Amino acid sequence: MYNKDQLKEKAKKAKDKKGAIGPDINLDEFDQAPVPHSYLAEEDLCDLPQEEQERLIMSGLDVTEKERGGTYLQKDTSVIHCHSRQDGIEVIPIKKALEQYDWVKEYYWKLLAVDTDKYTAAAELALHDGYVIRALPGSKSIYPIQACLYLDKDGLQQNVHNLIIAEEDSELHIITGCATSPHLKRGAHVGISEFFVKKNAKLSFTMIHNWAEDMVVRPRSVAQVEEGGLFINNYICMKPVRSLQMYPTTHLVGKDAVARFYSIIVGSPGSEYDLGGRIFLKHPGNRAEIVARTISNGGKIIARGHLIGEVPGIKAHLECRGLILNGGLIHAIPELEGLADGVEMSHEAAVGKIAQEEIAYLMSRGLTEDEATSTIVRGFLSVDIPGLPPQLKAEIDKAIEESDKDVM
Amino acid sequence: MLKIDDLQVTLEDKEILKHIDLEIHPGETHVLFGPNGSGKTSLLMTIMGYSQYNVVAGKIIFKGKDITHMSIDERARMGIGMSYQRPPTINGLKTRQMVKLCAGHEMDENDLAKQVNFEQFLDRDVNAGFSGGEIKRSELLQLMAQKPDLMLFDEPESGVDMENISLVGKTIASLLQKNLLTIENKTRMQAKLERTKMGLIITHTGYILEYVAADKGQVLYDGILSCTNNPREILDCIEESGYEECVRCIIKTN
Ligand SMILES: Nc1ncnc2c1ncn2[C@@H]1O[C@H](COP(=O)(O)OP(=O)(O)OP(=O)(O)O)[C@@H](O)[C@H]1O
Ligand SMILES: [Mg+2]
C-alpha cells in the first residue's frame, strides 16, 4: 500500500546507489530546483515561439492537436498544458492525481522499486511532475494521446514519473517525446514510467527523443501485461546525447499476453547509448518480440535484449541489426533464457556495413552514390510495426526522414 | 550506339573477357549465348560499370562518348539499364518506392505493375523472398519505369513459368520497340525506322526469340565473342552439336 513516508525513507537510502549498468552520473552537477512556467490554455498552445514548436513537432507533439486525442506538455518542472479531448481517456498531471484520486496510489511505484538506484530515488525525493494517462474499460482511443517533456533551462535535472493504464478491453495509443530547447546545452532527465495493460487491452507507446548533445538521460520503466493484453513499445532516438541508458522490463502476467519492442537508434560521435529491453514470458501463449535497428556514425551503442521464457508454449524472438557507417562501435548483447521444456525462442544479431552490391544496384537505376546510401539506410531503419495507428507510423517515418541529414 | 573495342577485363586477377568487339546500333537487339561461366554476366556488368570488373584494355563507347571509366550512375543517367540475373534484396525498401526511384519522378506505379502482373508485390521489400520468376518481372517493372535506351537483359526468361513467359516476352519486345503490331497509327515500316532502343539479351533457351525479333546473335565462349550470326541458326547449331562445335563451325562458315 502507498505510504508516502516509507517511500521517502527508502528513496533516501538509495540516494547514492549506482545504476546496475551504464556509466555512473554525478547528479550533484545538476540543479533540481523547480522552474515555474505559466499554464497555457488550448488556444494559446499555438502561440509558443516558432522554434519551440519545431522542436516539439520533431518529438511528435503537434500544438494544433490535429489528429490527437489529448495533450500533456511539461516544460522543465512545470505542466504547461494538460487535457483530454476524448471521453473515456484521462490525462492528468501526476502530482494533482496523487492529491485528488486515491486509485492512483494503487499504481504509483507498484512495478518499480523506489530504491532501484539513485535515479528512481531522485524521482521520488524531488518529483517535478509527470502524467497519468488512463483509458477506461472498453474505451478506444481514436487518435493518439501526445505527451512531451521539454527541457528549457540549462543545467536542470528533470525528474518525472508517468503512469500509463489501459483498463480491460481498452485500446490506448500514446506518442511521447522528449526534447530540449535549441539553446540548452547541458541537462539531465530522469523518467520513471509504469505501464499497466489489463485484460484484453491494447497499448502502444511510441517515444521519440531529441536531446541536446550534452544531456544525460536515465529512463526507468516497467510494464505489466495481463491475459490477452498487447503492449507495443517503440523507441526512436536519432539525435546526439552524451549518455543514455535504459533497460525497460515487461512482465507478461496472464496467458496469451504479448509484448513487442521496437527501437531505432542512430548514434552520433561523442554519444553513448546503452539500451535494450527485457521481457519475462510467464504464461502459456505469451509472445514477445524485440527488434532493434542501430546505426553508428561514430557513437558508442550497446544494444541489449533479454528474453526469459519460464513456461512451455511461449514464443519469443529477438532481432538486433547494426550498421557501422562512419566508425564507432556497436555491441549487440542478445540473451535468451529458456527455463522449461517446450519454449520456442530465437535470436538473430548482425553488425556490419552497407553491402556495396546494394548501392551499385540502386546506382544502376540512376541514383547517385549518396542517394543510394541514404535510401538503403532509410530502408534499414524502417521496420514494419503491426498494430500501430497510421498517425504514429507517419511520425516514425518523419523521424527517420529527418535523421537522413545527420546520418549522411 | 554502343561500341565496344577490343575489351579485356579481369576479375580478381583472373582474365574473364578477352578481346571483345561489339557494335549495337540504335534500334538493334542482339542475343548473347554461351555456356555457364563463359563471362556473359561479366560482359553486361562491365558495360553497366561495376568496378570489380577491371578493364585492362579496350574501350566502351556509348552515344559517342567514352564511358569506359564512368561510374554506374553516370551510365544509368546516360541511358543504360539492366535486368539482373541475381539482384540483391533491399530490406525496408518497398518495390513501390523502388519503381518511383527508377522513374525519377512521381508516377503511378500501379498501372505499370498491372502490365507485368505484379501489383500484389508492390508493398513487399525489393526482391525479398521473390521467386526466380518474380524477380524477372520485378526487374522488368523497374526498367519500364527507368526507360533506358540501352537495355541489358541477363537471362530474362529463365525460371519464368509457361503462363508468364509470353507476358515477359511481350514486355521485353515493347521495351525494345519491337512490338510493331501494337503501335497505333503507324505502319510497320515507320515504326521500324523510328525505333531507337538497343538491347542485349542473354539467353540459354532462346525462348525469348519467339517474342523479340533479334537482329543478331553472338556466342561468348571462354571469354571470347566467337561469332555473329542469325540467332536462330546459332541456337540450332548449339542444340545439334554443342557450344564448342558450334563456335568452330560458325567461325568456319563465316
Ligand atoms: N567474385 C568472383 N571471383 C572469382 N571469380 C568469379 C567471381 N564472380 C564470377 N567469377 C567467375 O567468372 C566467370 C564468368 O562468370 P559469369 O557470371 O560472367 O558467367 P556467365 O556466362 O554469366 O554464366 P551463367 O550462364 O552461369 O550465368 C565464372 O567462371 C565465374 O565463376
Ligand atoms: Mg550469368
Side-chain angles (χ1 to χ4, degrees):
Chain A
M1 228 5 257
Y2 173 81
N3 180 322
K4 200 170 171 181
D5 297 332
Q6 248 176 35
L7 281 173
K8 291 267 185 262
E9 212 41 55
K10 273 175 89 175
K12 265 186 204 145
K13 285 188 191 138
K15 195 164 74 49
D16 298 312
K17 187 174 166 186
K18 289 183 185 175
I21 46 175
D24 184 47
I25 305 297
N26 180 5
L27 293 176
D28 294 339
E29 287 173 11
F30 302 94
D31 185 10
Q32 300 188 66
V35 187
H37 292 287
S38 49
Y39 190 85
L40 299 175
E42 205 174 338
E43 58 274 17
D44 295 336
L45 276 178
C46 295
D47 295 338
L48 283 169
Q50 198 56 41
E51 59 170 18
E52 227 161 79
Q53 287 193 25
E54 276 164 23
R55 304 288 285 201
L56 294 174
I57 278 176
M58 275 165 57
S59 290
L61 189 125
D62 186 347
V63 292
T64 66
E65 298 192 289
K66 193 171 156 272
E67 305 205 324
R68 293 289 188 263
T71 299
Y72 175 89
L73 177 56
Q74 178 177 334
K75 185 170 176 179
D76 293 328
T77 64
S78 315
V79 181
I80 62 170
H81 190 75
C82 178
H83 86 296
S84 164
R85 289 154 58 107
Q86 197 192 323
D87 286 344
I89 310 244
E90 300 175 333
V91 185
I92 324 162
I94 196 166
K95 277 192 148 171
K96 181 174 156 199
L98 282 168
E99 277 164 24
Q100 296 188 349
Y101 309 106
D102 272 340
W103 60 262
V104 176
K105 294 171 184 155
E106 302 286 324
Y107 298 97
Y108 188 67
W109 292 118
K110 165 113 183 265
L111 301 178
L112 190 59
V114 68
D115 56 357
T116 301
D117 54 27
K118 60 162 93 169
Y119 312 105
T120 54
E124 175 59 24
L125 294 172
L127 177 66
H128 293 137
D129 223 315
Y131 51 80
V132 176
I133 300 178
R134 177 161 81 137
L136 298 179
S139 51
K140 308 234 183 291
S141 75
I142 299 164
Y143 291 122
I145 308 294
Q146 57 181 358
C148 185
L149 302 158
Y150 188 75
L151 252 94
D152 181 63
K153 186 169 180 283
D154 201 41
L156 180 75
Q157 173 183 332
Q158 184 184 52
N159 300 324
V160 302
H161 194 141
N162 308 313
L163 299 176
I164 298 95
I165 303 149
E167 298 285 357
E168 285 191 12
D169 299 308
S170 68
E171 182 172 332
L172 178 59
H173 300 283
I174 299 174
I175 177 156
T176 164
C178 289
T180 52
S181 80
H183 61 257
L184 181 135
K185 300 215 160 41
R186 220 178 118 260
H189 171 87
V190 173
I192 311 300
S193 300
E194 298 180 88
F195 299 89
F196 301 83
V197 182
K198 302 217 179 153
K199 212 171 146 184
N200 298 323
K202 176 175 170 186
L203 169 64
S204 86
F205 188 78
T206 300
M207 183 147 75
I208 301 180
H209 277 174
N210 282 301
W211 300 107
E213 278 175 38
D214 207 5
M215 279 291 296
V216 299
V217 183
R218 291 292 180 272
R220 294 288 175 262
S221 63
V222 180
Q224 173 180 293
V225 187
E226 295 177 13
E227 184 180 331
L230 168 65
F231 179 40
I232 301 174
N233 190 0
N234 305 314
Y235 180 67
I236 292 115
C237 182
M238 313 261 198
K239 296 284 177 193
V241 54
R242 191 174 89 206
S243 168
L244 166 74
Q245 185 272 319
M246 62 177 188
Y247 207 174
T249 301
T250 292
H251 300 274
L252 302 178
V253 299
K255 72 176 172 49
D256 301 327
V258 178
R260 302 182 194 283
F261 284 22
Y262 300 88
S263 46
I264 300 170
I265 314 294
V266 175
S268 314
S271 300
E272 197 172 331
Y273 310 78
D274 183 329
L275 31 83
R278 181 191 281 136
I279 303 173
F280 289 87
L281 298 94
K282 300 169 192 258
H283 291 267
N286 284 168
R287 299 276 177 277
E289 184 180 34
I290 296 179
V291 176
R293 294 275 190 280
T294 57
I295 289 184
S296 174
N297 264 329
K300 177 176 173 187
I301 303 175
I302 301 175
R304 300 173 194 270
H306 189 179
L307 295 167
I308 304 102
E310 302 187 0
V311 296
I314 60 98
K315 222 184 206 174
H317 182 68
L318 200 159
E319 177 188 308
C320 179
R321 291 201 199 142
L323 271 186
I324 302 181
L325 289 188
N326 284 310
L329 177 161
I330 296 177
H331 184 173
I333 312 178
E335 287 183 69
L336 300 182
E337 242 181 285
L339 306 179
D341 287 1
V343 296
E344 217 178 297
M345 308 173 78
S346 56
H347 82 70
E348 70 180 277
V351 176
K353 62 179 170 84
I354 299 182
Q356 197 54 43
E357 194 196 1
E358 294 175 27
I359 296 178
Y361 183 53
L362 292 179
M363 286 172 73
S364 74
R365 302 295 188 224
L367 277 67
T368 64
E369 186 167 359
D370 281 353
E371 287 165 349
T373 308
S374 77
T375 301
I376 292 164
V377 166
R378 235 177 291 140
F380 172 82
L381 292 177
S382 85
V383 281
D384 284 325
I385 304 175
L388 201 65
Q391 295 88 1
L392 298 185
K393 166 110 187 65
E395 289 299 340
I396 293 177
D397 290 346
K398 206 170 77 192
I400 291 173
E401 211 61 42
E402 269 299 311
S403 79
D404 243 28
K405 304 175 203 127
D406 305 310
V407 174
M408 301 313 302
Chain B
M1 179 168 94
L2 174 77
K3 190 171 185 316
I4 297 180
D5 256 348
D6 195 21
L7 190 72
Q8 279 167 262
V9 175
T10 60
L11 175 65
E12 311 254 327
D13 293 326
K14 195 177 110 193
E15 201 179 15
I16 46 166
L17 295 176
K18 311 163 189 170
H19 309 291
I20 303 284
D21 290 303
L22 177 70
E23 254 180 50
I24 303 178
H25 294 269
E28 270 181 16
T29 290
H30 293 206
V31 173
L32 191 58
F33 299 97
N36 295 140
S38 57
K40 301 180 299 297
T41 296
S42 305
L43 175 59
L44 263 47
M45 298 291 261
T46 307
I47 298 171
M48 194 68 242
Y50 278 73
S51 56
Q52 63 266 42
Y53 298 90
N54 190 18
V55 177
V56 288
K59 331 185 245 224
I60 307 172
I61 315 280
F62 181 60
K63 294 185 179 173
K65 248 191 168 156
D66 186 341
I67 63 163
T68 319
H69 300 288
M70 269 190 192
S71 65
I72 298 177
D73 57 319
E74 283 174 301
R75 295 181 203 214
R77 283 194 296 272
M78 277 187 73
I80 303 181
M82 176 150 172
S83 160
Y84 289 81
Q85 186 175 16
R86 246 176 274 112
T89 297
I90 314 259
N91 285 310
L93 179 65
K94 301 280 174 247
T95 303
R96 183 185 294 290
Q97 295 163 281
M98 181 68 162
V99 175
K100 282 193 203 298
L101 288 174
C102 290
H105 52 79
E106 269 303 311
M107 45 106 56
D108 185 5
E109 64 280 354
N110 296 300
D111 265 3
L112 273 193
K114 215 173 270 167
Q115 296 175 38
V116 281
N117 192 11
F118 213 64
E119 301 118 286
Q120 67 270 40
F121 297 89
L122 286 173
D123 289 312
R124 288 207 4 212
D125 290 357
V126 178
N127 300 326
F130 286 4
S131 73
E134 288 160 3
I135 282 180
K136 305 298 176 192
R137 281 184 281 149
S138 156
E139 291 290 300
L140 288 186
L141 175 59
Q142 293 175 45
L143 285 186
M144 284 157 70
Q146 194 182 352
K147 300 197 177 79
D149 297 321
L150 167 64
M151 279 162 268
L152 311 166
F153 296 94
D154 199 344
E155 298 191 25
E157 85 278 62
S158 320
V160 177
D161 65 41
M162 300 294 274
E163 270 172 45
N164 278 298
I165 191 111
S166 87
L167 185 69
V168 164
K170 283 174 186 159
T171 305
I172 294 175
S174 125
L175 278 166
L176 291 168
Q177 302 166 327
K178 290 274 185 185
N179 54 340
L180 298 178
L181 294 174
T182 61
I183 298 172
E184 285 167 35
N185 305 326
K186 274 185 193 159
T187 65
R188 284 175 76 103
M189 203 52 203
Q190 237 179 332
K192 200 172 162 185
L193 286 172
E194 285 171 17
R195 188 192 289 149
T196 55
K197 301 281 183 181
M198 294 164 265
L200 181 55
I201 308 177
I202 298 176
T203 179
H204 286 295
T205 60
Y207 291 152
I208 192 69
L209 297 172
E210 311 273 337
Y211 305 93
V212 179
D215 302 281
K216 271 181 192 166
Q218 327 232 21
V219 179
L220 186 62
Y221 190 80
D222 196 19
I224 300 171
L225 258 187
S226 300
C227 56
T228 307
N229 210 331
N230 176 306
R232 288 224 161 268
E233 271 175 42
I234 294 180
L235 195 63
D236 291 344
C237 172
I238 294 169
E239 256 165 11
E240 270 167 37
S241 34
Y243 288 103
E244 200 174 348
E245 266 304 304
C246 159
V247 168
R248 226 181 284 146
C249 91
I250 288 169
I251 288 172
K252 249 184 261 154
T253 55
N254 277 1

